[in-house]
Amino acid sequence: MTAAPRHRSVADHRAAVARLLGEGAVARMALDRHAVGLRLAADLAADDDLPRFDNSAMDGYAAHPRSGEDRTFVVVGDIPAGAAPTSGLSPGEAARVMTGARVPDGTVGVVPVEQSDASPTGPAPERVTFAGPVATGRHIRHRGEDVTAGAVIARAGDEVTPALIALGRSCGCTHIEVHVPTRVAVVATGAELSPPGTDPGPGGIHESNSEMVGALAAAAGCTVVRVETCSDETGAMRTLLGALDADPEVDVVITTGGVSAGAYEVVRQVCEPLGTFEFVHLAMQPGGPQGLGRYGSTPVVCLPGTPVGAFVAFRVLIRPALDARHGAPPARPGRAAYDGPTRHTRAGLVQFVTSVLGEDGVVRAPDARHLTALAAATCLIEVPEGVDQLIAGDEVTIHHV
Ligand SMILES: Nc1nc2c(c(=O)[nH]1)N[C@H]1C(S)=C(S)[C@@H](COP(=O)(O)OP(=O)(O)OC[C@H]3O[C@@H](n4cnc5c(N)ncnc54)[C@H](O)[C@@H]3O)O[C@H]1N2
Ligand code: MOO
């Protein structure tokens, strides 16, 4: 009889994956749409005031009244957006201004053209009369009222959003420091695998893990550089892993399948003898059989072949390490009340149950099995090691997926 596999805790293996993957790269890049979704690796400070100068919020007239009752003004200028006033306003003077135009020094307030006797189009009149008094400060956007130059407008760890791109660019910022997406290659192994659309033959199956793990990696902010499948031939696997290790575009390899106790476990057979890998059975279900190590200098994380096991293991073990590399805050587990039939789970193993969190804050297991349940799931219920059943009303820990 062979020895029972060593059981390692989920937390220990998660930490081992984090150590293996280590810190990600940081780079300077343009603050543009290509940065959306990345996280800042350094605080971002404004280069310029926002707005850069006092300007008009309305198409109308910048005016400097002699008194509070003043209604009629001499028009001394006409300032479109983009132009600079050539002179300031003295008492009794106004200048026609367009929205966004710099208002002349001496402006007390802006009166919208609709509240004047002037035509909105055509040349500026010589005089203008307003329907009411000029309110001090009205319709003026003041220099630096949004941001003053040098102020921190985003912190390290913040996600680059379309709004942050607008804010930063408006403050004159051109570049940002970001956490670079991890470049991932995925290798799904198994002699039985056949891409959908091809005939799998009598004992074959439609292959799904490669693109599922690729999608999980992409959703975690990685750049998925290669997605491969490999037979159970050790020679082919060695060639592929060697090529991935030699590829400077690959930071991390994630494999699926070929890690458990069978006779054709290609990942294990190729990697275990190197002495740079460890294969363990985690105290978790699904996703128990796991491996990790370095092929050459490249970190390789080996997930089990069952699609639900690979999904859960990616979420629970790899995702946190990727989030850390990408500067994202750790995903916080939630708490919810379980509702549904009593489910018996295996004590001694942490169980992850594919589940749906309702708007009522109650978590239910979908009435489906395996991949159908996974596809419906919005979270995983974590049933701790010491618990052997899940009963309606139980307070449970959940992980969003
Ligand atoms: N004697 C034992 N047998 C098994 C154990 C064990 O401890 N002792 N553990 C079981 C558990 S739990 C899991 S999980 C699997 C993990 O096995 P492998 O990682 O070696 O995966 P495979 O055997 O290659 O495949 C398992 C299963 O998943 C299907 N599969 C594999 N790759 C894909 C893919 N790319 N797309 C779709 N489906 C895939 C495969 O056909 C198998 O049905 O081992 C148990 N056995
Ligand atoms: O650990 Mo396995 O089938 O339960 O994924």
Side-chain angles (χ1 to χ4, degrees), residues 18-280:
R19 277 195 304 277
L20 178 70
L21 266 52
E23 285 189 8
V26 163
R28 187 174 145 84
M29 73 178 291
L31 177 56
D32 63 17
R33 65 192 182 284
H34 302 294
V36 75
L38 301 183
R39 300 261 173 185
L40 294 180
D43 292 355
L44 178 63
D47 229 58
D48 206 346
D49 291 327
L50 179 64
R52 291 189 61 233
F53 42 76
D54 291 358
N55 69 92
S56 175
M58 289 285 184
D59 298 318
Y61 289 83
H64 186 155
R66 277 169 296 242
S67 72
E69 293 312 304
D70 220 0
R71 301 286 163 90
T72 299
F73 295 78
V74 178
V75 178
V76 295
D78 187 19
I79 312 165
T86 49
S87 63
L89 298 180
S90 300
E93 290 180 345
R96 186 164 77 163
V97 287
M98 299 301 138
T99 304
R102 186 170 187 141
V103 295
D105 291 346
T107 298
V108 169
V110 169
V111 179
V113 66
E114 298 88 331
Q115 293 165 25
S116 78
D117 64 352
S119 160
T121 55
E126 288 182 5
R127 301 179 82 78
V128 65
T129 301
F130 303 134
V134 178
T136 303
R138 190 91 178 107
H139 300 310
I140 300 175
R141 301 188 286 216
H142 290 282
R143 173 179 181 172
E145 73 175 25
D146 209 344
V147 180
T148 51
V152 171
I153 54 173
R155 299 266 173 209
D158 286 353
E159 186 177 335
V160 179
T161 60
L164 179 60
I165 292 170
L167 172 61
R169 290 180 69 95
S170 300
C171 294
C173 301
T174 58
H175 287 80
I176 48 176
E177 295 275 323
V178 292
H179 293 276
V180 176
T182 304
R183 297 165 305 172
V184 169
V186 181
V187 180
T189 68
E192 73 279 28
L193 308 179
S194 188
T198 59
D199 178 8
I205 62 164
H206 300 294
E207 197 279 320
S208 63
N209 281 348
S210 61
E211 291 296 342
M212 175 188 74
V213 173
L216 284 166
C222 299
T223 303
V224 180
V225 286
R226 293 184 58 175
V227 173
E228 309 279 350
T229 53
C230 188
S231 71
D232 283 337
E233 293 279 324
T234 53
M237 187 63 181
R238 257 183 221 109
T239 303
L240 179 54
L241 288 177
L244 295 176
D245 179 43
D247 186 340
E249 299 290 310
V250 174
D251 298 321
V252 174
V253 174
I254 303 174
T255 68
T256 69
V259 294
S260 61
Y264 307 100
E265 308 295 10
V266 70
V267 173
R268 202 167 178 154
Q269 283 168 7
V270 166
C271 296
E272 203 163 29
L274 299 174
T276 52
F277 276 79
E278 49 182 351
F279 288 88
V280 291

